[in-house]
Amino acid sequence: MVVRLSEQWPEVSPDRLLSECVPPPRFADVRFSTYRPDPDEPTQSEALAALTERGTHLAAPRRTRSLWSRLRSTPTDGGKPAIYLDGGFGVGKTHLLASLWHESAAPKMYCTFVELTNLVGALGLRTAVDALSSYRLICIDEFELDDPGDTMLISRLLGQLVDAGVEFAATSNTLPGKLGEGRFQAVEFLREIQGLAARFDVRRVDGPDYRHRGLPVAPGPWPDEKVEQEAAVRRNASCDHFVDLHRHLAELHPSKYGALLDGVETVAITDIRPLTDENVALRMVVLADRMYDRNLPLLASGVPLDELFSKDMLKGGYRKKYLRALSRLVALARAA
């Protein structure tokens, strides 16, 4: 039976949000030993060595320390409580981040930046700090700051958790000092942004997107009828018209997009159209991330996926989000 995502109304408790903060299935089995650095990109080997060293440090349970010792100590290599992998799409940053999580002692947490802000929004800052202060490590994939509220919220959260002895690792496509540029008046929040940047030991990871090496930009879309027919014969497939789907996403909190895909093994979307509304586009980015986390093949009709976001969007402040989403959607379409 084909499921309509646009007809599902999942409920997600804060406890579920917290319990699901682990690497997605796609990265459940990755380890440092399975990462293959490109010999032509030395920064990949350097990042692997840095995270392997930090993983050895984090494999030991965290020792309880007094406030004074926490303020005076240098918790990790470089004296910074967080490591930050900066680089383009598909160079293995998430592979390395998930490997670090697997290597580290519990309690530990793995989430995307969007999932972290959703979690704090659901719990409240004080409750989130209380819940996470005992953690050995928090890994944050796709670190982004899209608005002033997020800047203040995450700055306060990280500051209080670092004071409690929690260590962090993060990935992004934007250097910490540049977070927020092009999205809001970053100058007004420069102190907050610089405060975040100062906590990170930044490691660059260069290289081409492995998902696009030697492959076409995007597969050709199927006819609507073929997508519907294929979805009907696949086990646990969903099938939605593009407009119905993005209208439904507007009525759900993004923290529920993962639960929206519960039990789904293939996603089918008919009549995909170019997007011009930034709000709709950003919701599709979150859905694409949750689909990619679950490795769900995508059956698609309408415009080619590389025409989903307008040219203006691909030049704007959220361009890196859109490019990441395109990279992932194209990979899922090839998988189908």
Side-chain angles (χ1 to χ4, degrees):
M1 179 179 177
V2 176
V3 175
R4 304 290 181 190
L5 297 180
S6 54
E7 298 175 357
Q8 307 303 309
W9 297 92
E11 291 297 329
V12 183
S13 69
D15 287 342
R16 174 174 174 175
L17 289 175
L18 192 59
S19 67
E20 290 182 343
C21 288
V22 298
R26 176 182 287 271
F27 297 101
D29 298 320
V30 301
R31 299 294 186 275
F32 290 131
S33 61
T34 62
Y35 183 74
R36 299 289 180 263
D38 187 334
D40 296 326
E41 300 291 349
T43 56
Q44 295 185 13
S45 295
E46 292 166 4
L48 173 62
L51 264 73
T52 299
E53 180 180 358
R54 190 160 294 216
T56 300
H57 160 74
L58 289 166
R62 192 180 72 177
R63 292 178 295 177
T64 302
R65 300 177 294 163
S66 67
L67 174 60
W68 178 245
S69 67
R70 290 198 300 268
L71 292 174
R72 295 189 61 190
S73 66
T74 54
T76 54
D77 54 303
K80 295 187 177 183
I83 190 165
Y84 189 101
L85 300 182
D86 174 71
F89 310 101
V91 295
K93 302 188 305 296
T94 301
H95 184 137
L96 290 171
L97 186 70
S99 298
L100 180 65
W101 185 91
H102 287 299
E103 189 74 15
S104 301
K108 53 190 176 180
M109 174 179 171
Y110 183 105
C111 60
T112 64
F113 181 81
V114 170
E115 289 169 334
L116 179 62
T117 55
N118 289 339
L119 177 67
V120 178
L123 296 178
L125 180 61
R126 182 181 296 274
T127 301
V129 170
D130 290 342
L132 301 176
S133 290
S134 63
Y135 279 45
R136 186 74 175 91
L137 171 71
I138 296 178
C139 293
I140 309 171
D141 200 16
E142 301 154 14
F143 201 104
E144 300 269 358
L145 293 178
D146 297 334
D147 59 59
D150 283 347
T151 303
M152 302 295 289
L153 179 69
I154 298 305
S155 178
R156 292 171 182 171
L157 177 71
L158 265 62
Q160 293 183 51
L161 292 179
V162 166
D163 289 344
V166 182
E167 297 189 37
F168 289 85
T171 72
S172 184
N173 307 303
T174 305
L175 289 169
K178 301 295 184 180
L179 289 167
E181 280 193 358
R183 301 180 180 93
F184 56 86
Q185 294 300 316
V187 173
E188 298 179 12
F189 301 91
L190 188 59
R191 183 173 60 182
E192 295 291 342
I193 293 172
Q194 289 178 338
L196 286 174
R199 300 181 185 277
F200 289 104
D201 171 21
V202 179
R203 301 283 175 158
R204 179 72 186 176
V205 187
D206 296 310
D209 187 337
Y210 77 90
R211 290 183 291 265
H212 288 174
R213 292 172 189 167
L215 295 174
V217 173
W222 289 3
D224 288 349
E225 297 78 8
K226 185 176 180 181
V227 169
E228 293 169 349
Q229 292 169 1
E230 184 67 19
V233 299
R234 294 203 181 194
R235 189 179 71 169
N236 298 327
S238 68
C239 186
D240 292 86
H241 188 278
F242 182 66
V243 174
D244 293 338
L245 180 58
H246 76 64
R247 285 177 177 171
H248 186 60
L249 293 179
E251 298 179 333
L252 292 176
H253 191 277
S255 64
K256 298 181 179 181
Y257 289 7
L260 186 67
L261 298 167
D262 284 352
V264 175
E265 297 181 24
T266 298
V267 174
I269 305 175
T270 60
D271 195 19
I272 290 178
R273 303 175 183 183
L275 294 174
T276 56
D277 186 308
E278 204 93 73
N279 293 319
V280 176
L282 290 172
R283 294 184 195 109
M284 292 304 300
V285 168
V286 177
L287 182 65
D289 287 341
R290 302 291 79 78
M291 290 168 55
Y292 187 77
D293 288 346
R294 291 156 176 76
N295 199 22
L296 300 180
L298 172 63
L299 304 171
S301 66
V303 301
L305 290 170
D306 52 10
E307 297 178 16
L308 177 60
F309 303 109
S310 70
K311 292 181 179 179
D312 287 342
M313 287 181 178
L314 295 179
K315 296 177 182 177
Y318 297 106
R319 64 180 299 274
K320 293 183 178 180
K321 278 181 175 284
Y322 297 144
L323 290 172
R324 184 187 73 236
L326 287 178
S327 176
R328 293 181 166 187
L329 289 170
V330 167
L332 295 176
R334 292 194 188 110

